[in-house]
Amino acid sequence: SKFLIGTTEEKKQIATLFDQAFHQHGVIRLINANITSAIIDKTKEFFALDEKLKLKYYGNGSYYGTPGYKPPGLEAVGNYKGDKKTAPTDSNEIYFTFFKAQSKEIDPSIDQLPDVFRQAVPEYILKGRQLISDVHQIADLALELNENILDKNYTSDHATFTLRLAKYYPPKHDEPLSLGEHQDYLGFTLIHNDDVPGLEVNVNGRWFGVESKPKTIIVVGGEFIQRWTNDYWISVLHRVGAVHQLRYSALLFSGPDMNSVIDTLPCEKCTLEPSKYPPITVYEHMEKRNAAAARN
């Protein structure tokens, strides 16, 4: 809120804190983010439905490319780079919704959403999209970039935001995790949790639990944040530890224009060393990661 309505000096202070946090840790907590918590209550309502009712909304197609309900047993995000062939199946079930940035279309359309989501999901996505734009403004200032350098990658209908609503179970067979360790694939991710602990982040090789706090949003950067900044900012490795009771979360992933080429940004902090990554399109990167993490 200090960045949005504060003085020029307060904006710079927030940008400095943002810069330090993503350089050192790769995770921040936003307070006063003005996003409703109703989405968690509606997520609980949906996943409490009978399995036959939920399967009416099953997304029959590629796991990550098709919106809708995904029952347990189809995902192993610990295999997202394709190098952990024995990564266990995650203990969760999912509902995906996609949002196109320019036309503001939701897929599936509002009238095809489950009844419990028809008001809460569009409201949450629109507020989340605005919050991502605010985060991009802070990032531009933190990296001393021209205004809208980041957000311009997210303005066409080839840019897709994904809302992932998840229910986590205590894992079977004494597995240590409910969701495997991974980095997100794309830009910034907003993470909204209930009050059940579980989210863990890896900072300097050690795992730390992230406390759930009311009216706050956790923000992590995906692999594109690390590639854009040439490893100056961190895409933090994170996971959900073995939960002992049901846990719910809402995650909004920001996907740049599928045709965008991800290359080192023209910022002084990002170009202290030669670029460590070859240019890659968003589409090419997503195809590799999605194919590795889906079980089907």
Side-chain angles (χ1 to χ4, degrees):
S1 57
K2 281 187 178 180
F3 184 85
L4 296 178
I5 61 175
T7 65
T8 299
E9 188 58 34
E10 286 176 325
K11 292 176 187 288
K12 289 180 179 179
Q13 289 173 359
I14 294 296
T16 297
L17 290 172
F18 189 97
D19 182 35
Q20 292 172 348
F22 271 98
H23 179 56
Q24 297 172 4
H25 308 301
V27 57
I28 63 171
R29 186 192 304 275
L30 295 181
I31 61 174
N32 300 328
N34 193 32
I35 288 192
T36 176
S37 61
I39 194 67
I40 296 295
D41 293 335
K42 295 302 180 181
T43 298
K44 292 178 180 180
E45 283 186 42
F46 174 76
F47 287 119
L49 295 174
D50 182 82
E51 187 70 13
K52 289 183 178 179
L53 287 176
K54 288 185 288 188
L55 286 172
K56 288 173 57 179
Y57 303 100
Y58 176 64
N60 187 18
S62 65
Y63 188 87
Y64 294 106
T66 309
Y69 172 66
K70 313 290 181 178
L74 300 180
E75 184 177 47
V77 298
N79 195 43
Y80 74 110
K81 289 188 176 179
D83 54 3
K84 298 178 182 178
K85 301 301 183 184
T86 59
T89 300
D90 297 317
S91 299
N92 61 3
E93 55 183 309
I94 306 295
Y95 187 91
F96 284 116
T97 304
F98 299 143
F99 173 73
K100 293 183 178 180
Q102 184 177 34
S103 63
K104 295 182 171 54
E105 291 180 1
I106 292 176
D107 186 12
S109 60
I110 293 175
D111 61 346
Q112 293 177 319
L113 289 171
D115 289 344
V116 296
F117 289 154
R118 288 185 183 177
Q119 180 174 346
V121 162
E123 177 185 334
Y124 192 84
I125 288 176
L126 289 172
K127 287 187 175 182
R129 170 63 186 104
Q130 180 57 54
L131 183 55
I132 290 287
S133 183
D134 296 337
V135 168
H136 288 160
Q137 290 184 50
I138 300 174
D140 285 343
L141 183 58
L143 294 173
E144 300 176 342
L145 295 167
N146 293 330
E147 192 174 358
N148 291 329
I149 286 290
L150 283 178
D151 211 55
K152 71 179 183 181
N153 293 284
Y154 294 83
T155 56
S156 80
D157 271 354
H158 295 295
T160 301
F161 293 78
T162 303
L163 178 62
R164 172 188 171 108
L165 305 173
K167 175 183 180 180
Y168 303 93
Y169 297 90
K172 299 177 180 178
H173 312 302
D174 296 322
E175 293 286 354
L177 302 175
S178 290
L179 186 75
E181 60 186 64
H182 64 285
Q183 296 165 292
D184 290 347
Y185 313 160
L186 304 173
F188 289 110
T189 303
L190 306 181
I191 304 176
H192 188 168
N193 297 314
D194 64 6
D195 57 0
V196 176
L199 178 63
E200 300 173 354
V201 296
N202 189 298
V203 178
N204 298 324
R206 293 179 57 195
W207 287 100
F208 295 88
V210 179
E211 183 182 356
S212 293
K213 292 185 177 181
K215 298 181 181 180
T216 67
I217 297 287
I218 300 297
V219 183
V220 299
E223 290 178 302
F224 288 161
I225 301 303
Q226 190 158 318
R227 293 179 77 114
W228 264 325
T229 62
N230 201 29
D231 286 355
Y232 173 68
W233 282 355
I234 297 169
S235 173
V236 71
L237 195 64
H238 54 288
R239 66 190 186 186
V240 176
V243 298
H244 303 293
Q245 63 187 96
L246 297 179
R247 179 179 181 273
Y248 300 86
S249 67
L251 301 96
L252 186 65
F253 301 94
S254 59
D257 189 317
M258 296 289 280
N259 300 310
S260 292
V261 176
I262 306 301
D263 203 357
T264 303
L265 290 169
C267 72
E268 183 177 350
K269 298 170 183 177
C270 308
T271 54
L272 295 175
E273 300 180 43
S275 294
K276 300 176 182 179
Y277 302 98
I280 190 171
T281 67
V282 174
Y283 177 80
E284 291 170 332
H285 184 77
M286 287 186 66
E287 286 293 291
K288 291 179 182 178
R289 293 295 186 253
N290 289 344
R295 281 299 196 200
N296 58 339

